[in-house]
Amino acid sequence: DAGVIQSPRHEVTEMGQEVTLRCKPISGHNSLFWYRQTMMRGLELLIYFNNNVPIDDSGMPEDRFSAKMPNASFSTLKIQPSEPRDSAVYFCASRKQGRETQYFGPGTRLLVL
Amino acid sequence: QKEVEQNSGPLSVPEGAIASLNCTYSDRVSQSFFWYRQYSGKSPELIMSIYSNGDKEDGRFTAQLNKASQYVSLLIRDSQPSDSATYLCAVNIKNQAGTALIFGKGTTLSVSS
């Protein structure tokens, strides 16, 4: 059974450019979470969805960040425009309804120059 | 602001020793607690969950929970060099929107052979 899939695995871009991160949750999981991890701030929850609906986006740092989940098998996290302080590892995780265990994808390592 | 606190370490133990990792949390109503292990450059993976006061054992790992003191710990017996990783404590937080995990910044464990 495939785990959470994220793409790209690495992204290097210049300040001001748009960045789109993608995630495919585990089939049958109905909750999806986007996290950002840095040395300074640790693993921070940005936003999460239940049944494709955004439930809590209080962790989204600024209006430059947006996330969508158009269907049960795909989600995007977009940063526009990107800034150097957005450099981090972005993880997507999914969870099955009624369970509390979250399964993480491999992450996208983003570097904004 | 609900918080999860961990000593960042590094915690260094010799092979075969017991490693003790600690975590405190601020939300008194939290009911579910988790320990994730994260190897360098990899994604977090769940190793233990605990819901009731007391101890829960799984192989060389024991999770301990004290809700009155808002304290969770992880003991690793017979530590091995392969246990060298960052250990993240996570607490399930419920609010009006739903439930999500809040993570500590992690404790780095180094087991020397």
Side-chain angles (χ1 to χ4, degrees), chain A residues 9 33 35 37 39-43 45 48 50 55-56 91 95 100-107 109, chain B residues 32 34 36 38 41-46 51 88 92-95 97-105:
Chain A
R9 296 291 305 276
F33 304 81
Y35 292 89
Q37 188 174 39
M39 288 291 291
M40 286 294 294
R41 301 176 68 89
L43 192 62
L45 177 64
Y48 73 97
N50 277 353
I55 298 300
D56 186 352
F91 287 105
R95 182 183 70 190
E100 293 189 315
T101 301
Q102 292 184 21
Y103 297 87
F104 283 78
R109 190 172 296 273
Chain B
S32 309
F34 305 86
Y36 280 76
Q38 186 175 23
K42 302 295 185 182
S43 57
E45 58 175 329
L46 180 70
Y51 306 96
L88 303 171
N92 209 13
I93 302 293
K94 290 186 179 183
N95 56 30
T99 63
L101 291 181
I102 303 299
F103 284 83
K105 291 185 180 179

Side-chain angles (χ1 to χ4, degrees), chain A residues 38-95:
Chain A
T38 61
M39 288 291 291
M40 286 294 294
R41 301 176 68 89
L43 192 62
E44 302 174 278
L45 177 64
L46 300 177
I47 185 172
Y48 73 97
F49 297 83
N50 277 353
N51 297 315
N52 313 338
V53 176
I55 298 300
D56 186 352
D57 65 354
S58 60
M60 296 286 262
E62 304 172 29
D63 291 345
R64 297 185 296 108
F65 286 69
S66 62
K68 294 181 179 180
M69 191 165 186
N71 57 61
S73 59
F74 183 66
S75 177
T76 60
L77 178 68
K78 186 175 293 187
I79 309 172
Q80 166 63 18
S82 58
E83 296 183 3
R85 59 195 169 117
D86 301 330
S87 298
V89 181
Y90 290 81
F91 287 105
C92 175
S94 70
R95 182 183 70 190

